[in-house]
Amino acid sequence: VAPQTPKRATGRPKAARKRARRYHHGDLRRALLQETLRTIQAHGVEGLTLRGVGQKLGVSRTALYRHFADKAALLGTVSGEGFRTLHAQLAAAWKDNGEGGEAFAAMGIAYVQFAVANPSHYRVMFGSGLDPDCAPDPELQQAAAGAFQALVDAIVSQQRQGSVRPDEPLMLARFIWSLVHGIAMLAIDGRLSQGEAIETFTRFALERSRTGITEG
Amino acid sequence: VAPQTPKRATGRPKAARKRARRYHHGDLRRALLQETLRTIQAHGVEGLTLRGVGQKLGVSRTALYRHFADKAALLGTVSGEGFRTLHAQLAAAWKDNGEGGEAFAAMGIAYVQFAVANPSHYRVMFGSGLDPDCAPDPELQQAAAGAFQALVDAIVSQQRQGSVRPDEPLMLARFIWSLVHGIAMLAIDGRLSQGEAIETFTRFALERSRTGITEG
DNA sequence: ACCTGAACACCGTTCAAGT
DNA sequence: ACCTGAACACCGTTCAAGT
């Protein structure tokens, strides 16, 4: 879909100066999602205001309710897009690095890098902002499951190569997921070392997850 | 300190019926912390309202500002208490299980159990509710550092016993911390298996962290 | 010292009404 | 269909005033 410029009555009398656009434009929904993400990246979830989003877009503060049920639904959609982006980056890291042990490490690095590069987005993706446990939102659930599946597939592939022990793939995937998720969260919260040291640590942690912390 | 009942003017005329207590009681600060924690446990951080806390305690909604600078300071104190409790439970798990490899696993289990038993409290302890990065609050920082130190000490101890490889203890501690924190977060968010299966998985993950996921 | 009550500047959401 | 404007029921926080 080509970007649709709003129809302008160019020959309009000056009396219409107050309101340049009436119905904003053709794709308010996408604009709302973009502005939401931009606001979150800049000021965090707690800095997100529906009124502010509307104002930035030159739209009434209730126009949003034509496209999303409420604030939670808006954030849920943003969250789903995050999981799809993450999924794509994980898949790329796996494919672009030979689909072996090195590629698996690259996936882990890519995971943490996504979180560090988009901390607020990542936080929205993982619960804390959403309601306790109501409205699981199937589409979001599916997007998250898709990203997780990339991890499972990579593990199964390595098991076939004989480089990973033949445990239940789901358990191994959860193990690695917990590790990178923990690193990502602590890194975002500033509880690990700063800046580029994060990648060094992530590499160390992934290496330890391969061979363990035991002596010998 | 014995629980102090508010002084009641028992022979008071009926005209005073409207306001039974004037200055509430002797330790409003502690009562505020308790009520805050109870509210959080019951309804999550987003369900916490300063007005509600005051009302539950039969106190004006601004009385709180005599004891805490603002909502963030209140949550920061609650957070610090959480880290001290967690620290105590980790230390107990280490001491009560022989201070060896088994005790180290018990620490990991205890960590995840604390989070699962007090999900809202644990969430408050880890960032998402607080401001982006302003006001580090030294007392909170110290409480968190204390809990982390228990982990470092246990690792150093095992290195002396020759059961853990002689890497930088700080790096190894961060590795384990990331793992249990990731498990805790995913478990709280309902993204891992439910209920008692959490402990089984945690045990599996800790075992993998010891010996690695590599085949052979 | 400690607490109150009114007031201020915000929120998300609803709903009748406009075009 | 899509958007608006006023209104509702909430927030956290400030501040002069009470005891």
Side-chain angles (χ1 to χ4, degrees), chain B residues 135-203:
Chain B
D137 189 351
E139 200 191 347
L140 191 159
Q141 210 75 8
Q142 197 178 346
F148 178 68
Q149 191 59 39
L151 195 54
V152 176
D153 292 344
I155 284 173
V156 170
S157 173
Q158 288 177 101
Q159 286 179 322
R160 288 207 188 103
Q161 296 168 28
S163 59
V164 163
R165 70 206 312 273
D167 282 340
E168 174 64 51
L170 215 63
M171 295 287 269
L172 288 170
R174 282 179 184 148
F175 168 60
I176 297 296
W177 189 28
S178 296
L179 177 61
V180 292
H181 179 57
I183 295 174
M185 281 302 222
L186 293 176
I188 285 176
D189 290 352
R191 292 194 141 90
L192 294 178
S193 41
Q194 316 282 34
E196 58 162 322
I198 295 288
E199 182 172 331
T200 302
F201 169 69
T202 303
R203 221 175 276 280

Side-chain angles (χ1 to χ4, degrees), chain B residues 34-117:
Chain B
Q34 282 179 359
E35 182 56 35
T36 297
L37 187 54
R38 178 165 34 191
T39 303
I40 283 174
Q41 300 276 35
H43 307 103
V45 207
E46 66 279 354
L48 178 71
T49 280
L50 299 192
R51 296 160 113 96
V53 169
Q55 192 174 337
K56 203 95 168 214
L57 261 45
V59 137
S60 159
R61 57 183 173 275
T62 60
L64 172 145
Y65 290 91
R66 283 294 127 190
H67 300 278
F68 300 96
D70 53 16
K71 194 180 187 181
L74 173 66
L75 284 174
T77 304
V78 167
S79 179
E81 289 193 349
F83 275 113
R84 275 185 285 274
T85 302
L86 174 59
H87 186 175
Q89 295 187 5
L90 294 182
W94 176 248
K95 264 197 177 172
D96 297 351
N97 289 276
E99 304 191 355
E102 203 175 324
F104 194 65
M107 273 182 78
I109 303 282
Y111 187 102
V112 175
Q113 268 178 348
F114 173 86
V116 170

Side-chain angles (χ1 to χ4, degrees), chain A residues 23 48-51 61-62 65 70-71:
Chain A
Y23 281 179
L48 179 71
T49 280
L50 300 191
R51 296 161 114 96
R61 56 185 174 273
T62 59
Y65 290 91
D70 52 17
K71 194 180 186 181

